Amino acid sequence: MTQKKILVTGSSSGIGLAIAKELKKKGNLVIINGRNKKKLSKICKKENFFSLESGNLSIPNEAKRVVVNSYKKLGGLDVVICNAGESKSCKPGKENFKDWNKMFNQNFFSASNVIENSKNYLKKTNGKILCISSICGNELIKGAPITYSTAKAALNFYVKSLSHYLPKNITINLISPGNILFNNSVWDKKIKVNKKKVYKILKENVPLNKLGSLRDIVDIVCYLISEKSNYITGSNFVIDGGQTTKI
């Protein structure tokens, strides 16, 4: 991989941080993002990232500032990875406007605001956009919040549609993770509460009968932002151990 100038949103923990660390390890210049500037500063110093840009990306002006400042600091922008998102919402059947608003802000507008403000910069560099979605946006996952699932489905449709209208030298793709295990993740907490129940769920729903890892995600990220993926756009890469049934 040739050195790239990259902005990774929602990268103060979990999947976003794992992506940022792997890309930095491979010699890229990486700017991390999150809403907690103090937390970001500690991570940036510890991991020796190029820089940081704090901001709530669901707010248009803050998203614009994050993108513009990243572009100026890096002296260009080759890749934007939209990972910012949140799944914690109300149970199915308990939806209200507050939950709908929160889920669309955190899972749709946090990506669309960044993308709309970075298109002109990426046009200059044959840029690549990658959005981290969820299998919940691809088909019904029983028990998953309807608000979260719908917001991710909107993100998926947005990315697919936008792939037809972006400048022809920009690619945009999706990754839809299934059940990914990492420290302090939802599945990490569930295992600590009831390990037997978790593996019963896996046995009944996931053909590979296991949880995914951060490595499963970062490897496909590295491929999709490399020159090897230049003929791929508008695609959704599902990393779920076979759980979903959609062809």
Side-chain angles (χ1 to χ4, degrees):
M1 183 184 293
T2 57
Q3 186 184 71
K4 298 182 185 297
K5 299 169 181 178
I6 304 172
L7 167 63
V8 184
T9 74
S11 44
S12 62
S13 62
I15 291 175
L17 179 57
I19 290 171
K21 288 168 69 174
E22 182 68 15
L23 296 179
K24 184 260 176 184
K25 180 181 177 182
K26 291 184 178 298
N28 298 288
L29 304 180
V30 179
I31 288 184
I32 58 172
N33 157 263
R35 285 176 286 180
N36 188 326
K37 188 173 182 179
K38 187 175 180 180
K39 181 179 180 181
L40 279 177
S41 296
K42 290 181 179 180
I43 294 169
C44 192
K45 184 176 181 180
K46 178 182 177 182
E47 302 296 340
N48 196 30
F49 289 120
F50 183 80
S51 189
L52 64 93
E53 277 297 323
S54 63
N56 183 343
L57 304 177
S58 67
I59 301 173
N61 287 339
E62 289 197 34
K64 182 177 182 179
R65 173 180 53 77
V66 167
V67 172
V68 172
N69 286 353
S70 296
Y71 175 79
K72 289 179 178 178
K73 287 180 178 180
L74 290 166
L77 200 56
D78 298 305
V79 178
V80 170
I81 298 175
C82 297
N83 173 73
E86 183 178 345
S87 62
K88 191 178 294 184
S89 186
C90 58
K91 294 181 179 180
K94 303 292 183 180
E95 296 77 28
N96 57 59
F97 178 77
K98 183 179 179 180
D99 288 302
W100 283 113
N101 192 51
K102 176 186 175 184
M103 287 296 97
F104 267 83
N105 278 335
Q106 298 305 324
N107 296 290
F108 180 78
F109 291 115
S110 62
S112 65
N113 287 338
V114 170
I115 293 169
E116 297 302 326
N117 282 291
S118 63
K119 290 187 294 187
N120 288 336
Y121 297 139
L122 294 168
K123 184 179 179 180
K124 300 176 183 178
T125 59
N126 300 318
K128 295 181 181 292
I129 303 169
L130 186 58
C131 294
I132 309 301
S133 184
S134 166
I135 58 171
C136 296
N138 299 338
E139 64 179 58
L140 173 65
I141 304 296
K142 290 185 178 181
I146 296 174
T147 49
Y148 171 72
S149 302
T150 305
K152 287 298 190 182
L155 175 64
N156 294 357
F157 193 89
Y158 168 72
V159 169
K160 184 63 176 179
S161 300
L162 198 59
S163 68
H164 287 258
Y165 298 102
L166 283 171
K168 301 308 177 186
N169 65 333
I170 298 176
T171 65
I172 182 168
N173 292 290
L174 291 153
I175 292 177
S176 291
N179 309 316
I180 307 300
L181 177 64
F182 53 90
N183 190 37
N184 289 323
S185 67
V186 171
W187 289 100
D188 182 39
K189 294 174 183 177
K190 286 183 178 181
I191 287 175
K192 289 175 181 177
V193 173
N194 193 331
K195 187 175 182 179
K196 287 185 177 180
K197 183 178 179 180
V198 168
Y199 285 97
K200 182 176 184 292
I201 292 171
L202 294 176
K203 187 176 181 180
E204 293 174 349
N205 296 281
V206 182
L208 291 185
N209 196 21
K210 63 179 181 179
L211 295 163
S213 69
L214 291 172
R215 171 56 56 186
D216 295 320
I217 306 300
V218 299
D219 282 348
I220 193 68
V221 168
C222 290
Y223 172 74
L224 288 173
I225 69 167
S226 74
E227 285 67 29
K228 294 179 180 180
S229 69
N230 284 348
Y231 196 55
I232 301 173
T233 195
S235 294
N236 187 352
F237 291 78
V238 180
I239 316 296
D240 70 348
Q243 179 177 352
T244 50
T245 58
K246 179 182 176 182
I247 296 176

